[in-house]
Amino acid sequence: MIAATLLKGVSLWLLFYPLRWAVQCLPWRLALKVGTLCAALHARCLPDEFQRRIREGVRTIWRDELSEVELDQLVRRNLITRYKHLIDMFFYQHLDAESIEQVAPAIQGRIYLDEMLERGKGVILLMSHFGSFGILLGGLVLRGYPLHQVFTLTPQAPYRTWQWLERWIMQAKLACWRHDHVGFTFWRPGMSLRPLYRKLREGHILVVYGDGARGQGFTRVEFMGYPLSLSTGPFKIAAKTRAALIPAFVIREADDCHRIILEAPIVLDDDAPASLQQGASQYAARLAHYVRTCPDHWFSWARLRWASGYGCRWLELGPSPTKPTEFYTSPKG
């Protein structure tokens, strides 16, 4: 156990410090090839707990539809997408208004965002753990849209090592985003949501995860033929502030450029359970479409698991149990 934790810790440290600095010396597309190589080595030489979780998540949905060879290929492609996402992250701090046109030249559905902002009630961008999702921030901020993102600052189980190393890695991630038009709120259980409500009522853009696993309330929706438990948090915030919810997805094209897709808004009339259920169902249907289209893009395969109770079974995007003290309120806290 100690040896495994040590190996994991050393690997993460090397990835976020020496390797992060080294790849920034390379052209972006060449650096992505380094990410592909790292993913291939991971898939072939390190059949770890993380790969097992991805595999089990895919099997949960497509138990009889994929052969073992197809399953191996999908796990490998998922790892490549993850490593390329990390490489992209290392270059965020170097992006500017000119380079973003090369990295993310297309924003499909931008008109939806502009129309909702004109109403002056704010917009919630409902991001998913899908593709190089951080490019969403760069693609919009560097085109003049100020954003505020909500973070749940605690590492998932496969990345847990020691708190001092986890804090270093989180600082390294946040160091990739240094821009005046990006703000962050670090959520932890019990915190007041009033500052978020205030930003929306002032007409700002708030970025939250639709397929996150934290929150105080959940509802079950249909997802790819199975019941899935989703947090109602983003939908409650939207209902209380009368802000529109715009699901957002990022697709990596064959040439490694990104296509940002802003879906038609989900508008909630109130925060009654039926309204929250309807909003969550609409989001789940759109997420399912993109997962079917680009299954290698979805990072939440590794968190997908069965839960049961009162004679029922459903899927959860479940995190490992986390104590309130393990949530960080800032990169240093």
Side-chain angles (χ1 to χ4, degrees):
M1 184 67 178
I2 295 176
T5 301
L6 180 61
L7 177 61
K8 187 192 304 182
V10 170
S11 300
L12 289 170
W13 182 82
L14 290 173
L15 181 65
F16 281 96
Y17 284 90
L19 181 60
R20 174 167 63 98
W21 294 327
V23 297
Q24 292 179 59
C25 299
L26 302 173
W28 170 59
R29 282 194 168 86
L30 181 57
L32 290 174
K33 294 185 182 298
V34 174
T36 301
L37 176 61
C38 290
L41 291 172
H42 186 169
R44 181 176 294 275
C45 305
L46 191 63
D48 57 357
E49 173 72 9
F50 191 56
Q51 285 194 63
R52 185 187 68 80
R53 291 187 179 208
I54 297 172
R55 181 182 294 269
E56 287 185 355
V58 175
R59 281 185 181 276
T60 298
I61 298 294
W62 289 318
R63 185 172 302 277
D64 301 319
E65 297 181 36
L66 298 178
S67 66
E68 285 298 317
V69 172
E70 291 171 327
L71 184 57
D72 288 341
Q73 291 173 344
L74 179 51
V75 171
R76 179 177 176 275
R77 294 202 314 271
N78 189 261
L79 286 173
I80 291 173
T81 302
R82 290 170 182 273
Y83 275 86
K84 284 187 172 183
H85 163 61
L86 284 173
I87 298 298
D88 283 337
M89 181 191 304
F90 299 157
F91 280 83
Y92 290 166
Q93 60 191 354
H94 303 296
L95 292 174
D96 55 26
E98 181 178 352
S99 60
I100 196 62
E101 295 292 343
Q102 304 298 319
V103 175
I107 302 181
Q108 182 178 323
R110 184 173 176 178
I111 189 172
Y112 295 131
L113 180 60
D114 291 338
E115 287 178 350
M116 292 299 103
L117 288 174
E118 287 177 3
R119 301 183 345 173
K121 294 184 179 180
V123 172
I124 295 177
L125 287 183
L126 204 55
M127 188 162 63
S128 304
H129 294 88
F130 186 91
S132 196
F133 46 86
I135 290 294
L136 173 66
L137 275 68
L140 292 174
V141 164
L142 294 170
R143 289 179 170 93
Y145 295 91
L147 303 179
H148 192 88
Q149 182 170 357
V150 180
F151 271 134
T152 302
L153 209 58
T154 180
Q156 298 177 25
Y159 307 120
R160 294 216 75 104
T161 50
W162 304 283
Q163 285 204 350
W164 61 268
L165 179 60
E166 292 163 7
R167 287 191 175 92
W168 279 8
I169 291 172
M170 288 176 186
Q171 289 176 32
K173 288 182 177 181
L174 292 173
C176 296
W177 263 120
R178 294 171 178 165
H179 198 287
D180 292 341
H181 288 170
V182 180
F184 300 103
T185 292
F186 304 106
W187 182 89
R188 67 187 302 170
M191 73 167 285
S192 172
L193 298 180
R194 288 181 182 178
L196 304 183
Y197 293 152
R198 189 178 305 117
K199 288 185 179 297
L200 289 170
R201 290 189 175 114
E202 292 172 353
H204 295 181
I205 302 173
L206 187 67
V207 183
V208 299
Y209 287 104
D211 61 347
R214 310 290 185 183
Q216 305 298 319
F218 292 83
T219 188
R220 292 177 203 165
V221 297
E222 193 276 334
F223 176 75
M224 301 181 73
Y226 298 93
L228 173 68
S229 180
L230 283 182
S231 171
T232 57
F235 306 98
K236 285 183 178 179
I237 295 173
K240 288 182 179 295
T241 58
R242 307 291 290 176
L245 281 157
I246 296 182
F249 299 90
V250 179
I251 302 290
R252 185 183 294 276
E253 306 285 17
D255 62 355
D256 280 319
C257 289
H258 300 279
R259 178 161 47 101
I260 298 172
I261 303 173
L262 305 181
E263 289 277 342
I266 298 172
V267 181
L268 304 180
D269 296 327
D270 53 50
D271 61 349
S275 181
L276 300 179
Q277 172 80 21
Q278 183 180 25
S281 295
Q282 289 183 50
Y283 166 71
R286 299 183 196 186
L287 175 62
H289 166 74
Y290 287 98
V291 172
R292 288 191 185 97
T293 304
C294 303
D296 58 314
H297 278 42
W298 198 37
F299 295 171
S300 293
W301 288 122
R303 297 188 291 123
L304 197 64
R305 66 184 185 189
W306 282 107
S308 60
Y310 302 102
C312 300
R313 298 182 76 213
W314 63 90
L315 292 173
E316 289 183 339
L317 297 169
S320 59
T322 307
K323 300 176 182 177
T325 54
E326 294 176 339
F327 286 80
Y328 308 137
T329 55
S330 74
K332 298 179 181 179

